[in-house]
Amino acid sequence: MFRFAALLALASLIPAFVEAAAPLYGQCGGIGWNGDTTCVSGASCSKLNDYYSQCLPGSATTPSTTTTRTSTSTTTTRTSTGGTGTGTSSAPTSTATPDAGNPFTGYTIYLTPYYADEVKAAANAITDSTQKAKALTVANIPTFTWFDVIAKTPTLGTYLADADAKSKASGQKYLVQIVVYDLPDRDCAALASNGEFSIANNGLANYKTYIDQLVAQIKQYPNVRVVAVIEPDSLANLVTNLNVAKCSGAQAAYKSGVTYAMQQLNAVGVYMYLDAGHAGWLGWPANLTPAAQLFAQLYKDAGSPKFVRGLATNVANYNALSAASPDPITQGNNNYDEIHYINALGPALSSQGFPAHFIVDQGRSGVQNIRSQWGDWCNVKGAGFGTRPTTNTGSSLIDAIVWVKPGGECDGTSNTSAARYDSHCGLSDAAQPAPEAGTWFQAYFETLVKNASPAL
Ligand SMILES: *[C@@H]1O[C@H](CO)[C@@H](O)[C@H](O)[C@H]1NC(C)=O
């Protein structure tokens, strides 16, 4: 508030003939935007989607101009039996794994300007002043940035440069949170989140280029720490969904791709958490051991990379870390919330020699008992923002509670004629009408704000 007033006072001193321009990383266009459409010197206005253009450093040729963001769609196939599993028996050896400590300790998490600006624009569209003020506070809560197409990789460089500058200016150490999400034949068990690369068309080589491009950006900013969630849903699909032809067909490429990502990102010191689905997926008793075997086998095959810190759970999902009581949809699974899942999976991982540390997404887990089935994942009605990111997790296995999914970005369209329509987004517990995956879903964001628990 004080800072805002000071800025206003300063603005009034600026002579009227200075042409108005949006700041670096500020919004400069999009449907409903009435503000400045030009950017300050050194930046240019780049269209990120129909609703949002942003001032990014440099010329207008940045590849992000033609991409839309699709941080979307966690497939939550519930498999209580199946669990084919791909791990082979691996001798339980030492539990001492060469991990590098909790990466969040002592670091300030970088706020992605993209999400902060989406939130500010959304808050400004809310008329109720109380709700607007609450919505604005979300702009200060860190989320992960999803790199879901190769064209976005240069954007990581701009964020790292910004974080580096903020670090130098403040003397604080900065951490940038990213999601690595571009495997060929991505999201093999679902319809809504197909990726840009296909295995049949050079997809694995393209994926390696994508990883190389991330690495090239990261290498330039050795003072900024990067924490990455690796490939939501991919390995979990290999545990339970090999009966789906696209998943069995993708098995070798997923394993090679994730191994390559681990090795290359390890070489530049990126702290990694492999995605491990959630309690209602790999948390079923029959799936725990096959899951632990698969994670451990890949980790060993990659050479036990020191910066692989553990697993990420509940990404883009709605489970509580610690539920007051089991939601009826959990149907007798003892691992009915993330803490039970983590406590069950942790020892299985350790006995296989995999570093059993976790981060847990609680971004949209504020309200429980809102789903008809545990596998429902699309824009679930009545959800609220959850526990804020913190290293005060109450569990020695959990490094941090995080917000991986940027709340307010849509999970998938409810338009049944759309090419990427997934029936989950048309269920009675899915908020509708919903726009395309990754685009802003204002009504949903407003509900997340209203239902936030703890309250915003
Ligand atoms: C639904 O998708 C179809 C096919 O893309 C499109 O023609 C139609 O305009 C969409 N309807 C709405 C309400 O967005």
Side-chain angles (χ1 to χ4, degrees), residues 365-438:
S365 297
V367 183
Q368 293 301 300
N369 298 18
I370 53 177
R371 287 168 286 183
S372 314
Q373 307 234 28
W374 211 352
D376 295 352
W377 52 264
C378 193
N379 305 316
V380 172
K381 269 187 205 166
F385 283 118
T387 307
R388 264 40 118 211
T390 178
T391 52
N392 187 10
T393 67
S395 165
S396 60
L397 291 176
I398 304 175
D399 286 344
I401 290 167
V402 290
W403 286 18
V404 182
K405 169 79 186 185
E409 292 183 2
C410 190
D411 293 321
T413 178
S414 59
N415 180 350
T416 53
S417 321
R420 295 203 303 171
Y421 173 70
D422 188 297
S423 61
H424 283 97
C425 303
L427 293 173
S428 61
D429 62 0
Q432 298 166 44
E436 271 293 338

Side-chain angles (χ1 to χ4, degrees), residues 57-71:
S59 70
T61 56
T62 166
S64 62
T65 52
T66 56
T67 63
T68 52
R69 179 193 183 89
T70 53
S71 58

